[in-house]
Amino acid sequence: MLYTITKPNTYQDSIVLMLLSNKLNEVEGVNKAQAMMATPANKDILAGGGFDTEEMREAGANDIVIVVDTDDESKVEEISALVDSELAGGADDEEEVEANNWRKALTIAKEPNVALISLPGQYAAMEGMNALHNNLNVFMFSDNVSVEDERKLKETAHKKGLLVMGPDAGTGVINGTPLAFTNIINKGNIGVVGASGTGIQEVTTITDRLGGGVTNAIGTGGRDLKDAIGAITMIDAIKALNSDPSVDVITVLSKPSSEAIQDKVNSVLRSLDKPVVVLYLGDTPEYTEENIFHAYTLEETAIAALQKSKGEEVSFEPSIKEDVTANFNDKQVGIRGFYSGGTLATEAAMLIKHATGEESAEDEAFVYKSEHHQIIDLGDDMYTQGTPHPMIDPANRLKALESAASDDEIAVVLLDNVLGYGSHKNMAAQLAPAIEKFLAAKKDAGQEVVVLATVVGTDKDVQGYDSQRRILEGAGAVICDTNDQMVRTALNLIGEKVEQPVREVKSFDKTNEDLTVADSLKDLISGELSVINIGLEGFTEALVDQEVDYVQFNWRPSAGGNEELMKVLQFLNHYEGDI
Amino acid sequence: MGFKTIDEANEAVVQRMISTQPTLMDVVPAKSVIPELNDENTKTLLHAGPPIRFDQMSDPMQGSCVGAILFEKWADNEEDARKMLENDEIRFVPFHHVNGVGPMGGITSANFPVLVVKDTSNETENNTAYCTLNEGIGAVLRFGAFGPQVIERLEWQRDVLGPVLSKALRKIEGGMNVNGAIARAIAMGDEFHQRNIAASYAFLRDLAPIITALEDVDQKDKEDVIQFLADTDQFFLNIAMAAGKVMTDTARNEIQSGTIVTAMCRNGHEFGIRIAGMGDEWFTGPVNTPQGLYFTGFSEDDANPDMGDSAITETIGVGGMAMIAAPAVTRFVGTGGFNDALETSNDMAEITIAENPNWIIPTWNFKGAPTGIDARLVVETGILPVINTGIANKVAGRGQIGAGTVNPPMEAFEKAITAYAKKLGME
């Protein structure tokens, strides 16, 4: 049976139509087919070729006529659709991975689901909103985003079933792919949500080194648990991990927040059937729960989650490096921590304070400054104005070690070396000469001191976990396995000790929170990741290594940076209503 | 209009532009189809671009006005003609306001023959657009010349060319399909602003047999008409312009939503654009002077600021937008060659939202012409449409001195989207 499709007043070159005819002849169920411009000469050819139909004869010289011989009438619709798509043109482009505007980025990206934003703060919020408008989850590395903007972004995301990780999110693992400053971690059955970057890194790398795995480690940004934000991302992420059948244990990391927010988060956790480990770093937990283990330190958090993931009872014994000794003189009573990881510094401050009982003085330059001890986070904003983060640039830590040489009170120095994507490719080699110099200077001054160091990383990280340890060790540092162990070892050296908090097991009624999760969130944590990277091109390194689809959006301020026009564009782009 | 987002509205506008069927039906005296030119009491001239006063017009455009007055015999010398113009005895109306477009100065009066291009995609409601006939090159009215030779040619166009083309076109049942003509000529290297040679030859090929067979036309007139068409490489430009006007106006009349550009034109003083969502309102900025190649002895100092309605071709995705379609002219218009032309069209794809499947460009790996300029994208990306254009001598009557490209002022796009945001309630 012959069927005729006419495309009136449409011209195509004969070569295009011959190619089209070939395609149509390949369709299953089509006996034969021919597409031609319906000129008198072509109509004769069609008629002679057994494609004689009335419609074909009626078509004009400006019409494309397609005659199909098929026994299956339903094929005609398929053919018609194929003709339309073939004639629509748009030959396949080579694969493009760079764009300089949203439209292009969205066109060339393959089903993108995450926008990784590392733009200056004043633009980050706006582009975050654009990303959400385009149904992308947001991983916002940028800081300097106002609390109001953060709240707006997160409320919008929540309504759309999307997640805003950040602002100021340094770390994240999404379905096994590390984003921004993140280690390569084995996949596994522990799901992590954390409001702190290096906290996530410490917990996930310990987990990895002990044979466990983390498929998703979701950074919420440091302010998520503030009252003004209300833990929107934290709670959505917990629910998402709860919905993922591959997650057996959920780990929650945060600094302490207001009672109201902690109650809100705990209420969600108490609705879950899955075991949970929760750490409000800085607080001494007073109780724990059957299903929710309340941890004290990062290492304990990692171990507890690992034990729970194997169905074991939680039992954690903190450790110290036993065979480290030094003869300090009377002056040498102090610990100095020169950290690049903020949460690690916080943990050190907490342990020292709990051990010594010494309160910290109010001094923005220090995470902790007591009569004898000082912990500095060199990644704090006040040290990074105009210079790169200490995970990238060793300069500030080298300076700190240099001036420490003349500090007579020092007994122990603490150093961290955080590996992973984004970090310096060989920080140990940068720190090593400074450590040697420091130790030599002390020796010359007739003092014995101990430099303790810990490496946050895995054997899969590009820097090499073992070699980084060896380089630091070679310079005379004592390498501790975790920050917890490092701080406790330091305390032990000066004759102090932190007691593990005794926690009675309390039980609470199971709550009945709505645990429904948007499909888009389930897809985010268990589906294919496809990223639009807006800003720092370096962040695509991890994506290339992990063979994740991405588009590099070489962002520049839209509308030439004119903020009035940017607002107009945003208004128009996001406008919804009857027009 | 039933759209929820601007993207939806824009898509609808562009699809309507693409689905239009511009069909060349006839050539008629302008006054027979444009009532404004048929007003006994008010002498009226049409002009290119957004509204403009005589005193704002550049020298060539003023020269064109003088020429039109002499042609209409409202005066018999330049001095009297200028007096009429200076004394506001002449009403000026933008050609765009009366369903038409005019090249360069665009100056048009009652007895100019105009091309009639109709949208035949919709049986019930046909939009129609008009454009004057191409005058060829050299001393021509559109560049401000008004000598006897110019007036004589206009009279010949009025008395011979127009009527003969009219008779020939009426022999073609249903009119001449313009979409197909453009599609064929793109494959032969035309981009429809700077280069129309293939389409013009094809037009001659289609019309010559009909003209020679006309029974009620003098042999001499037939020969003259065919010779004129054979000599006039850019004849098809004016057909493409009328087609562009009918495509954009069909979409504009049916859908008044969104940010797709529905007109771009210039009057030597200001560049004006329209967007679908703002209907008839013009958004303007000062015109630029084209950049390009000059004939020997001329430079940018001699160039008149940008003028003409011919940027309607870019509005529908050809001309500078489809630069890559015409490798032969890419160097002439001041680009470095094939790769620059490719880059230009790739850039244009970033500010347009569709490819026109009717107009496939082989040299662009068979992508369709980049169609539907979204004013938002222009402002967002900072990429301005590229317009291919002839460059006029700034002194009236000296004609074309080169060719090149020109950009609209960003200001026009900024004003347009800001006005639209305000219309939709932005505070």
Side-chain angles (χ1 to χ4, degrees):
Chain A
M1 179 83 185
L2 293 176
Y3 299 91
T4 310
I5 302 165
T6 311
K7 302 274 161 197
N9 289 316
T10 307
Y11 171 83
Q12 291 286 351
D13 194 272
S14 60
I15 301 169
V16 171
L17 296 176
M18 284 160 77
L19 288 169
L20 175 64
S21 301
N22 288 347
K23 281 242 166 82
L24 300 182
N25 281 314
E26 284 166 15
V27 174
E28 217 180 296
V30 170
N31 301 326
K32 58 180 180 172
Q34 178 82 58
M36 286 184 134
M37 294 302 296
T39 60
N42 285 343
K43 287 198 228 176
D44 288 345
I45 295 173
L46 284 165
F51 294 105
D52 200 351
T53 69
E54 199 167 320
E55 295 102 310
M56 183 276 283
R57 289 197 172 276
E58 279 168 12
N62 287 310
D63 307 336
I64 296 175
V65 64
I66 301 119
V67 185
V68 183
D69 180 1
T70 175
D71 304 324
D72 179 359
E73 191 178 350
S74 71
K75 286 283 152 192
V76 179
E77 206 168 308
E78 187 187 332
I79 294 282
S80 185
L82 184 60
V83 167
D84 285 340
S85 73
E86 287 294 318
L87 294 183
D92 293 342
D93 278 315
E94 317 119 65
E95 198 165 310
E96 285 186 280
V97 295
E98 293 204 28
N100 46 28
N101 59 60
W102 269 109
R103 197 172 142 266
K104 178 90 183 276
L106 291 166
T107 311
I108 62 179
K110 292 183 195 116
E111 294 176 45
N113 56 358
V114 170
L116 173 47
I117 300 176
S118 52
L119 300 172
Q122 74 261 40
Y123 302 120
M126 193 178 68
E127 295 302 2
M129 215 37 128
N130 288 335
L132 293 173
H133 179 71
N134 290 310
N135 294 314
L136 301 175
N137 296 283
V138 172
F139 184 106
M140 192 172 285
F141 180 76
S142 313
D143 53 7
N144 289 320
V145 173
S146 73
V147 174
E148 296 73 44
D149 283 342
E150 177 172 347
R151 185 181 175 84
K152 241 185 269 171
L153 285 163
K154 289 186 169 174
E155 281 175 345
T156 306
H158 178 75
K159 268 187 223 138
K160 300 188 73 141
L162 299 168
L163 213 53
V164 173
M165 297 162 268
D168 205 7
T171 301
V173 181
I174 302 295
N175 194 15
T177 301
L179 296 175
F181 284 77
T182 304
N183 310 85
I184 302 180
I185 308 291
N186 280 330
K187 280 192 166 192
N189 61 354
I190 297 170
V192 177
V193 191
S196 86
T198 40
I200 292 177
Q201 288 188 281
E202 175 78 346
V203 167
T204 54
T205 52
I206 292 171
T207 306
D208 179 280
R209 294 198 302 265
L210 294 176
V214 177
T215 304
N216 283 284
I218 297 166
T220 63
R223 287 190 308 222
D224 192 65
L225 272 71
K226 300 265 187 208
D227 290 319
I229 308 296
I232 296 173
T233 298
M234 174 72 78
I235 288 169
D236 282 347
I238 290 169
K239 290 178 183 174
L241 291 172
N242 181 58
S243 76
D244 181 349
S246 75
V247 173
D248 291 334
V249 179
I250 296 172
T251 298
V252 174
L253 307 173
S254 176
K255 288 179 187 166
S257 61
S258 74
E259 204 169 318
I261 295 294
Q262 254 169 267
D263 284 352
K264 193 173 165 187
V265 173
N266 286 340
S267 174
V268 174
L269 295 176
R270 283 174 193 140
S271 298
L272 308 182
D273 292 326
K274 292 184 182 181
V276 175
V277 177
V278 62
L279 170 67
Y280 293 106
L281 183 66
D283 274 357
T284 307
E286 283 161 8
Y287 65 90
T288 187
E289 298 170 57
E290 187 61 46
N291 200 43
I292 305 175
F293 182 77
H294 291 249
Y296 179 48
T297 65
L298 294 164
E299 183 182 352
E300 186 183 37
T301 304
I303 303 274
L306 196 56
Q307 288 166 338
K308 277 187 179 276
S309 78
K310 295 176 187 161
E312 297 167 7
E313 283 297 306
V314 173
S315 71
F316 171 69
E317 276 305 319
S319 61
I320 52 170
K321 279 266 172 193
E322 292 285 0
D323 48 355
V324 186
T325 53
N327 291 314
F328 303 129
N329 66 27
D330 291 349
K331 270 196 203 158
Q332 285 179 278
V333 292
I335 299 171
R336 300 286 180 272
F338 304 126
Y339 277 93
S340 63
T343 308
L344 303 178
T346 303
E347 185 178 53
M350 174 192 80
L351 289 170
I352 294 169
K353 183 178 154 191
H354 289 174
T356 63
E358 291 180 24
E359 287 297 326
S360 176
E362 292 285 328
D363 189 335
E364 282 188 359
F366 298 86
V367 179
Y368 177 79
K369 186 190 185 191
S370 68
E371 195 186 342
H372 300 114
H373 313 294
Q374 297 171 6
I375 301 295
I376 302 177
D377 170 16
L378 288 157
D380 190 274
D381 288 348
M382 74 174 301
Y383 297 103
T384 55
Q385 300 292 341
T387 59
H389 195 278
M391 287 183 198
I392 301 167
D393 182 351
N396 279 335
R397 291 216 284 178
L398 299 182
K399 242 183 271 167
L401 276 172
E402 200 179 320
S403 55
S406 56
D407 181 348
D408 285 347
E409 215 187 58
I410 292 182
V412 187
V413 169
L414 309 178
L415 293 172
D416 63 347
N417 177 10
V418 181
L419 311 185
Y421 286 109
S423 290
H424 193 284
K425 291 285 182 277
N426 192 353
M427 185 58 83
Q430 300 291 315
L431 295 174
I435 294 169
E436 283 169 10
K437 218 169 139 190
F438 170 72
L439 289 171
K442 286 294 180 190
K443 198 173 173 189
D444 290 348
Q447 286 192 337
E448 281 185 36
V449 291
V450 177
V451 174
L452 300 177
T454 187
V455 178
V456 179
T458 72
D459 55 5
K460 293 165 285 293
D461 285 327
V462 58
Q463 294 89 349
Y465 179 72
D466 288 335
S467 73
Q468 289 288 296
R469 282 179 66 123
R470 272 199 307 274
I471 293 168
L472 292 171
E473 203 166 26
V478 174
I479 310 303
C480 299
D481 295 330
T482 66
N483 189 51
D484 182 313
Q485 188 190 55
M486 177 164 77
V487 182
R488 288 179 201 267
T489 303
L491 289 166
N492 185 54
L493 282 165
I494 60 163
E496 299 280 2
K497 185 172 187 222
V498 202
E499 295 299 336
Q500 272 299 86
V502 178
R503 286 151 277 187
E504 58 162 323
V505 179
K506 273 198 190 178
S507 38
F508 294 82
D509 288 339
K510 192 161 184 207
T511 50
N512 198 14
E513 298 272 343
D514 178 7
L515 297 174
T516 328
V517 175
D519 288 343
S520 44
L521 273 192
K522 293 182 192 168
D523 288 348
L524 171 69
I525 64 166
S526 59
E528 290 265 314
L529 186 66
S530 174
V531 177
I532 296 181
N533 184 46
I534 310 170
L536 297 174
E537 199 166 359
F539 285 161
T540 60
E541 187 191 340
L543 305 175
V544 173
D545 285 357
Q546 307 294 314
E547 296 177 353
V548 168
D549 286 328
Y550 74 93
V551 168
Q552 171 63 25
F553 181 166
N554 294 319
W555 187 90
R556 53 189 173 185
S558 65
N562 180 322
E563 291 195 17
E564 280 302 308
L565 289 170
M566 283 184 191
K567 278 184 202 148
V568 168
L569 285 169
Q570 189 146 23
F571 174 84
L572 292 174
N573 292 343
H574 297 187
Y575 188 85
E576 278 181 33
D578 193 37
I579 54 169
Chain B
M1 302 288 293
F3 304 109
K4 279 202 194 63
T5 64
I6 290 170
D7 284 339
E8 274 182 25
N10 287 354
E11 188 60 29
V13 169
V14 174
Q15 286 316 318
R16 191 64 189 98
M17 276 165 67
I18 290 172
S19 66
T20 304
Q21 284 297 345
T23 308
L24 176 58
M25 308 300 293
D26 204 348
V27 174
V28 300
K31 66 182 177 189
S32 71
V33 285
I34 300 169
E36 285 80 353
L37 294 177
N38 208 11
D39 184 341
E40 290 286 315
N41 305 315
T42 316
K43 296 184 171 66
T44 301
L45 292 180
L46 307 180
H47 64 80
I52 187 172
R53 295 190 313 269
F54 179 71
D55 63 287
Q56 295 170 315
M57 290 179 184
S58 61
D59 196 40
M61 205 157 169
Q62 292 189 341
S64 302
C65 296
V66 172
I69 288 171
L70 298 177
F71 169 66
E72 293 294 342
K73 301 203 169 11
W74 295 336
D76 58 11
N77 62 75
E78 179 186 354
E79 197 183 334
D80 288 352
R82 286 200 186 269
K83 234 173 250 164
M84 293 176 82
L85 290 160
E86 278 151 17
N87 293 340
D88 286 341
E89 288 172 41
I90 307 294
R91 172 175 65 166
F92 284 103
V93 176
F95 213 149
H96 261 288
H97 291 191
V98 294
N99 307 321
V101 279
M104 283 292 154
I107 299 299
T108 302
S109 61
N111 291 295
F112 276 59
V114 290
L115 297 154
V116 178
V117 174
K118 228 178 209 188
D119 166 35
T120 55
S121 66
N122 185 337
E123 294 291 323
T124 53
E125 217 175 307
N126 285 338
N127 283 307
T128 307
Y130 312 103
C131 184
T132 47
L133 300 178
N134 196 287
E135 303 167 76
I137 53 169
V140 286
L141 187 88
R142 68 178 186 279
F143 285 109
F146 52 82
Q149 183 197 347
V150 175
I151 306 303
E152 276 163 30
R153 190 192 300 109
L154 288 175
E155 285 165 355
W156 175 78
Q157 290 202 334
R158 176 192 64 198
D159 300 335
V160 178
L161 181 63
V164 171
L165 290 178
S166 170
K167 283 175 185 161
L169 287 169
R170 282 160 184 246
K171 297 273 182 201
I172 303 172
E173 201 189 331
M176 178 185 278
N177 179 273
V178 181
N179 262 344
I182 289 179
R184 266 192 298 272
I186 283 179
M188 293 186 273
D190 280 356
E191 47 66 83
F192 301 98
H193 198 163
Q194 192 54 49
R195 187 183 143 104
N196 287 275
I197 192 166
S200 298
Y201 285 1
F203 181 76
L204 172 61
R205 180 198 71 167
D206 289 346
L207 281 205
I210 304 174
I211 292 170
T212 50
L214 289 173
E215 284 167 3
D216 51 348
V217 177
D218 272 4
Q219 181 62 20
K220 168 87 169 69
D221 286 348
K222 289 180 186 174
E223 284 171 15
D224 288 349
V225 166
I226 287 174
Q227 189 61 54
F228 179 80
L229 293 178
D231 290 342
T232 309
D233 293 348
Q234 288 283 72
F235 192 83
F236 194 86
L237 169 59
N238 301 46
I239 299 173
M241 286 172 61
K245 177 65 174 166
V246 87
M247 287 170 72
T248 50
D249 273 6
T250 298
R252 221 163 68 79
N253 291 339
E254 291 180 18
I255 306 163
Q256 286 92 40
S257 303
T259 52
I260 294 299
V261 174
T262 53
M264 293 196 288
C265 59
R266 46 285 198 237
N267 57 26
H269 174 62
E270 283 182 316
F271 195 115
I273 71 162
R274 281 169 163 170
I275 62 171
M278 295 303 292
D280 291 341
E281 195 168 342
W282 290 106
F283 299 94
T284 61
V287 285
N288 296 314
T289 298
Q291 306 285 313
L293 280 179
Y294 289 86
F295 303 148
T296 307
F298 296 100
S299 73
E300 210 178 315
D301 294 339
D302 304 305
N304 197 67
D306 189 25
M307 60 180 180
D309 288 334
S310 53
I312 196 73
T313 57
E314 277 81 11
T315 316
I316 56 167
V318 291
M321 307 294 288
M323 189 82 92
I324 189 60
V329 299
T330 55
R331 302 191 85 160
F332 184 56
V333 295
T335 60
F338 191 86
N339 290 339
D340 284 357
L342 178 61
E343 198 181 316
T344 300
S345 283
N346 285 343
D347 277 354
M348 296 304 102
E350 302 221 349
I351 54 170
T352 49
I353 65 161
E355 290 177 16
N356 186 339
N358 298 327
W359 299 341
I360 297 295
I361 303 174
T363 42
W364 204 20
N365 201 10
F366 298 91
K367 283 200 240 202
T371 307
I373 298 165
D374 183 345
R376 289 178 306 173
L377 292 173
V378 173
V379 175
E380 185 191 320
T381 61
I383 299 172
L384 287 161
V386 172
I387 292 161
N388 284 350
T389 188
I391 305 174
N393 195 312
K394 66 184 178 189
V395 180
R398 297 204 183 156
Q400 186 171 358
I401 57 169
T405 61
V406 70
N407 294 125
M410 184 58 85
E411 189 184 329
F413 297 88
E414 293 173 355
K415 285 179 181 166
I417 63 163
T418 305
Y420 190 49
K422 213 164 163 189
K423 182 180 165 187
L424 293 182
M426 184 181 177
E427 282 159 21

